[in-house]
Amino acid sequence: MLKKDLLELCLLSLMAQGDQYGYELLRRLHAVFPDVQESAIYAILRGICREGATERYQGETSGGPARKYYRLTEAGRARHAALLKTWRETRDALTALGIE
């Protein structure tokens, strides 16, 4: 799996826990992947939205700009399951080679 696929899997996994807003997704991914630029994360987020894996909507405002929230669609759940399957297969193959 390439890093882009791992980042996409992480984004979809976070959204599988419930609707998320963009900055929170970014903050949580940055905690795990500090070397990844914000623009790369937002590019992946825009791409999966464009592909129909997620839907974007604006939340309520509270004195600041409206937050953009993202939620998984049925296509997103299927994409998440496929990426998770690939991740597990990759992990198991590496483990079989003694790479942990």
Side-chain angles (χ1 to χ4, degrees), residues 6-18:
L6 286 173
L7 291 171
E8 184 177 336
L9 174 59
C10 291
L11 284 168
L12 294 173
S13 293
L14 290 171
M15 284 183 269
Q17 298 169 15

Side-chain angles (χ1 to χ4, degrees), residues 14-63:
L14 290 171
M15 284 183 269
Q17 298 169 15
D19 295 6
Q20 304 278 329
Y21 70 98
Y23 180 75
E24 181 64 13
L25 290 167
L26 174 74
R27 188 187 67 72
R28 292 179 72 185
L29 280 183
H30 247 244
V32 179
F33 299 104
D35 62 326
V36 176
Q37 295 183 6
E38 290 180 22
S39 59
I41 295 170
Y42 279 118
I44 294 168
L45 196 52
R46 281 190 307 273
I48 61 178
C49 195
R50 200 172 34 250
E51 293 168 1
T54 63
E55 295 175 330
R56 187 176 80 182
Y57 64 94
Q58 290 205 339
E60 298 293 319
T61 59
S62 58

